[in-house]
Amino acid sequence: MSVADNAKIQSNPKFHALVKRRNALGWILSIIECIMYFGFTLMIAFAPDVLTAPIASDSVIPFGMILGVGIIVVSCVLTGIYVYQANNTFDPIVHEIIEEASK
Amino acid sequence: MKQLKAAFSALLSSAVLFAARTGSAMTVDSGPAAPAPAAPPPVNWHAISMFVIFVGITLVITYWAAKHTKSATDFYAAGRGVTGLQNGMAIAGDYMSAASFLGIAALVYMNGFYGLIFSVGWLVGWPIILFTVAERLRNLGKYTYADVVSFRLKQGPVRTMAAIGALIVVVWYLIGQLVGAGQLLHTLVPQISYRISITIVGILIMLYVTLGGMKATTWVQIIKAGLLLGGATIMALGVMFHEGFSFAKLFSDAVALHPKHLAIMKSVVPIGAKANPIESISLGLTLMFGTAGLPHILMRFFTVTDSKAARKSVLYGTCFIGYFYILTFIIGFGAIVLVANNPQYVVDVTKNILALKGGLNMPAVYLAHAVGGDFFLGFIAAVAFATILAVVSGLTMAGASALSHDLYAQVFKKGQATEKDEVMVSKISCIGFGILSILLGIAFEKQNVAYIVALTFSIAACTNFPILALSIFWKGLTTRGAVVGGYVGIFGSIILLLIGPTVWTKILKMGPAIFPLDFPTIVILPLVLIVAYVVSVTDSSESAKQERAAFDAQKLRAETGIGAEKAAVH
């Protein structure tokens, strides 16, 4: 296996573009996760009535239960999105960058 | 106000740390019950035979793992041969403690909807781990998260700080698990005393970890995750079968049967307690970032083959854990319907239809009996025991590697230790941890350990995670900033916990708490970030310049995996 030249990678604009893109995705998904969760937490703290209101007049199920389970499900979906993107978009770019630097 | 806090912290701790409450609840319960002239309880042969089968299988695995553990990489990181799916299961096995299984179910049983807040809080750290640190940990580290923090910083001071943070978390987490293990085993099989239970756990852990290292630990965790997910699924199905597979019926039955009725759907705090918004937010921060700073969890990322497997393992792990937490919620409501008011399980149905024999954490255990009889009760009891063994193995592994890899090899021997010596020290540490576990478990038998989860998660959230994230993402972090920031996190958390409501008022009985919150994260986490920032940017030393300059090389390795530790080839 040929050794990649680190200086070549550092000067390859593709590398910096990749890092930027991957970080952007990571941060956006983190922010969505935090907004969801801290939104839920802030509602617990300041608007519990909204969370405990029943989802329908003839139901005992509170809105917050749907929200809580929803956060768990959406969290799994967000991790799925990241993994899908990383496997299908980022990994091939990383390989390209390493190959170009190994020539 | 005082009452609110007492109620809040009491219920909080009961939920978060099943050990604490089982401990105090059972010492109360078994005290007067013990001298009663009643016939001795029958031996729970189902549970015992299933314990024995589980232990037998894990010992065979340990034997296999020991034969295949030759290098330090085998010992610490299972040869980096763990696949994404396997590691996802092992992560779930490492993370889903008996506290979350029995504790959340018990919390839902007592308080209904409120329990879901913990299910959610304990899950949301996982996506954050994936989006920020998982792959970069794999690319930068060797055996411990301190490898990553000290990647371009001074080894001695940074590793010492990180190892102290790791060890405090590990040792206290261990105490919580052990006290829980002793109580649980003793409750399920009364013929086995608390001390013998603790000793059995300690000896098994020494065998698994000392002989089989990370390979044995990984497989114990995988098997346990499979058993726990399977067992919880059967229980939830049993509940749903009883309720005609209708959630509407399950919840309305629970509301009808629970003594607080509709209040179980209306309360976002333990029933009867007043809301404390700041505490809720601080708790939220602690659960989310604490998860992302647990050393035994972070260590799992060094066992996989590459960064791709690392990321896949978080996806699998998150799905398993999320699924499991939804199940615990169904189990808790199912217990309201099937366990409460049943004279077989309740101490005295004429007085309190919720108070169960054996203490606060029994709803899930009795539900197993209600849906599957003695056999299934034995199975779930064995699963709970397996759960504790798996979590304690992971903790012991993390503690031993902080001692041997960070403190001995890198700090004490300045990186000059041979691999053989390092592994030897690690194995000695494992035996030390095993003995320490037994002693601490016995010492803490009658102690109120309600502050333990707050302590471990706070240090993880305020120290381990922020310093790790800064070292990966912020070029400006210097040794001085990391060390000072890290110690502010460790000691700040400890001090505020000491003067907080649980320890100061309830355990030390020193009067009203000086610091009003049980979870100090809302104060300490921002403080750590500010201190680490200010101390780093004002650092104009020559070494600080070199550390900033080394960031580009670190980033290249973190982002591409070039130079990352390779999987061992056998």
Side-chain angles (χ1 to χ4, degrees):
Chain A
M1 204 182 104
S2 56
V3 179
D5 182 347
N6 287 359
K8 267 190 188 170
I9 296 178
Q10 292 285 11
S11 62
N12 188 344
K14 269 190 193 170
F15 170 66
H16 298 283
L18 167 82
V19 172
K20 228 175 164 178
R21 240 179 109 182
R22 185 157 54 192
N23 280 345
L25 180 72
W27 290 120
I28 289 169
L29 293 174
S30 298
I31 290 167
I32 296 174
E33 184 70 29
C34 286
I35 289 175
M36 275 196 321
Y37 176 56
F38 288 108
F40 184 67
T41 306
L42 288 172
M43 282 168 85
I44 293 166
F46 297 109
D49 297 347
V50 181
L51 287 179
T52 57
I55 51 168
S57 56
D58 59 343
S59 175
V60 298
I61 299 174
F63 170 66
M65 195 185 282
I66 308 292
L67 208 60
V69 173
I71 291 173
I72 293 178
V73 173
V74 173
S75 297
C76 296
V77 173
L78 293 181
T79 57
I81 292 173
Y82 181 88
V83 170
Y84 181 84
Q85 275 289 327
N87 286 350
N88 294 292
T89 313
F90 301 145
D91 276 1
I93 301 176
V94 171
H95 289 175
E96 255 174 55
I97 293 169
I98 294 175
E99 247 167 48
E100 281 173 23
S102 309
K103 274 175 197 159
Chain B
M1 189 68 186
K2 228 166 149 186
Q3 200 187 355
L4 147 165
K5 268 181 225 142
F8 187 83
S9 55
L11 277 143
L12 201 60
S13 45
S14 77
V16 178
L17 191 72
F18 100 101
R21 286 281 122 180
T22 335
S24 44
M26 278 183 337
T27 38
V28 173
D29 287 352
S30 59
V43 179
N44 189 342
W45 287 113
H46 292 287
I48 291 179
S49 45
M50 274 178 270
F51 288 155
V52 171
I53 293 171
F54 174 79
V55 168
I57 292 172
T58 53
L59 288 177
V60 171
I61 289 171
T62 304
Y63 176 75
W64 164 84
K67 277 178 66 177
H68 290 86
T69 296
K70 296 191 174 75
S71 65
T73 306
D74 291 334
F75 183 78
Y76 289 115
R80 298 188 214 285
V82 178
T83 67
L85 179 62
Q86 289 167 351
N87 198 46
M89 280 289 269
I91 281 174
D94 206 6
Y95 189 64
M96 301 180 300
S97 59
S100 48
F101 175 40
L102 305 179
I104 292 180
L107 195 65
V108 172
Y109 174 78
M110 296 302 289
N111 298 284
F113 169 66
Y114 173 67
L116 187 67
I117 293 168
F118 285 86
S119 302
V120 174
W122 263 324
L123 185 85
V124 291
W126 283 102
I128 301 294
I129 291 177
L130 174 65
F131 305 150
T132 57
V133 297
E135 294 177 48
R136 292 162 181 112
L137 270 172
R138 175 62 186 84
N139 284 342
L140 292 174
K142 203 172 175 190
Y143 306 133
T144 62
Y145 85 94
D147 288 336
V148 181
V149 180
S150 65
F151 191 85
R152 65 188 162 94
L153 305 179
K154 279 203 199 72
Q155 297 293 316
V158 174
R159 271 191 201 266
T160 307
M161 181 277 296
I164 290 174
L167 286 168
I168 294 176
V169 172
V170 164
V171 169
W172 286 99
Y173 213 111
L174 207 56
I175 293 173
Q177 292 291 319
L178 281 161
V179 174
Q183 302 287 6
L184 181 73
L185 209 57
H186 178 59
T187 309
L188 296 170
V189 187
Q191 290 78 8
I192 303 177
S193 75
Y194 175 88
R195 287 180 181 205
I196 292 173
S197 307
I198 297 271
T199 311
I200 293 173
V201 172
I203 289 171
L204 284 173
I205 294 306
M206 279 191 256
L207 288 172
Y208 293 157
V209 183
T210 312
L211 300 175
M214 195 50 137
K215 279 191 182 175
T217 302
T218 301
W219 282 100
V220 168
Q221 291 172 342
I222 291 174
I223 295 173
K224 163 263 172 117
L227 290 172
L228 185 55
L229 289 168
T233 302
I234 296 171
M235 264 161 95
L237 283 175
V239 169
M240 294 315 291
F241 178 76
H242 183 266
E243 297 299 304
F245 290 94
S246 159
F247 282 105
K249 183 167 171 350
L250 170 66
F251 294 128
S252 47
D253 284 359
V255 167
L257 287 162
H258 197 285
K260 306 279 184 208
H261 300 296
L262 203 54
I264 62 170
M265 296 297 186
K266 292 282 176 207
S267 187
V268 294
V269 289
I271 288 174
K274 268 191 217 146
N276 180 345
I278 305 296
E279 184 83 277
S280 296
I281 296 167
S282 196
L283 169 67
L285 284 168
T286 310
L287 294 179
M288 184 181 230
F289 296 115
T291 303
L294 295 174
H296 63 297
I297 296 292
L298 297 174
M299 195 181 181
R300 288 235 51 93
F301 292 108
F302 306 117
T303 67
V304 291
T305 44
D306 53 18
S307 60
K308 186 174 183 176
R311 81 171 80 100
K312 280 161 87 176
S313 66
V314 186
L315 173 61
Y316 292 124
T318 309
C319 293
F320 291 136
I321 296 166
Y323 169 70
F324 172 73
Y325 282 158
I326 292 173
L327 293 181
T328 57
F329 198 61
I330 297 172
I331 290 168
F333 274 101
I336 297 175
V337 177
L338 291 163
V339 173
N341 208 14
N342 184 332
Q344 211 180 341
Y345 312 126
V346 175
V347 180
D348 185 351
V349 281
T350 57
K351 282 187 187 143
N352 180 349
I353 64 163
L354 289 180
L356 298 177
K357 294 172 191 166
L360 271 174
N361 287 288
M362 299 306 280
V365 176
Y366 288 136
L367 183 68
H369 189 262
V371 300
D374 285 338
F375 180 81
F376 194 54
L377 171 76
F379 176 75
I380 288 297
V383 168
F385 181 61
T387 287
I388 291 163
L389 285 177
V391 175
V392 175
S393 305
L395 288 167
T396 305
M397 204 61 227
S401 54
L403 277 176
S404 61
H405 180 62
D406 294 330
L407 292 181
Y408 169 76
Q410 301 295 334
V411 178
F412 183 64
K413 287 280 185 179
K414 311 228 180 305
Q416 301 301 311
T418 64
E419 198 179 290
K420 216 178 140 194
D421 284 349
E422 194 183 316
V423 172
M424 185 51 81
V425 171
S426 199
K427 292 189 172 190
I428 294 169
S429 313
C430 291
I431 295 173
F433 267 101
I435 295 169
L436 185 74
S437 305
I438 297 172
L439 296 177
L440 288 174
I442 290 170
F444 277 81
E445 177 181 358
K446 301 265 160 62
Q447 302 291 316
N448 182 341
V449 287
Y451 54 91
I452 282 186
V453 160
L455 177 77
T456 53
F457 270 70
S458 296
I459 290 176
C462 296
T463 309
N464 305 356
F465 181 70
I467 299 295
L468 176 68
L470 284 176
S471 75
I472 291 177
F473 290 105
W474 186 41
K475 184 175 184 168
L477 184 74
T478 69
T479 297
R480 217 175 72 174
V483 170
V484 176
Y487 284 123
V488 166
I490 296 171
F491 294 110
S493 307
I494 293 175
I495 290 168
L496 290 194
L497 281 159
L498 275 178
I499 59 172
T502 304
V503 176
W504 190 259
T505 309
K506 285 174 59 192
I507 295 176
L508 299 176
K509 305 202 189 313
M510 301 287 278
I514 299 166
F515 179 72
L517 302 176
D518 268 321
F519 290 88
T521 308
I522 197 165
V523 176
I524 300 293
L525 179 58
L527 184 69
V528 168
L529 294 174
I530 293 167
V531 168
Y533 177 79
V534 172
V535 175
S536 292
V537 292
T538 55
D539 188 351
S540 55
S541 63
E542 198 49 45
S543 60
K545 279 186 195 119
Q546 286 169 12
E547 285 160 8
R548 290 184 198 111
F551 183 77
D552 284 343
Q554 176 191 309
K555 179 170 146 188
L556 189 135
R557 175 164 163 177
E559 300 291 341
T560 63
I562 294 174
E565 297 287 330
K566 294 272 183 298
V569 184
H570 283 296

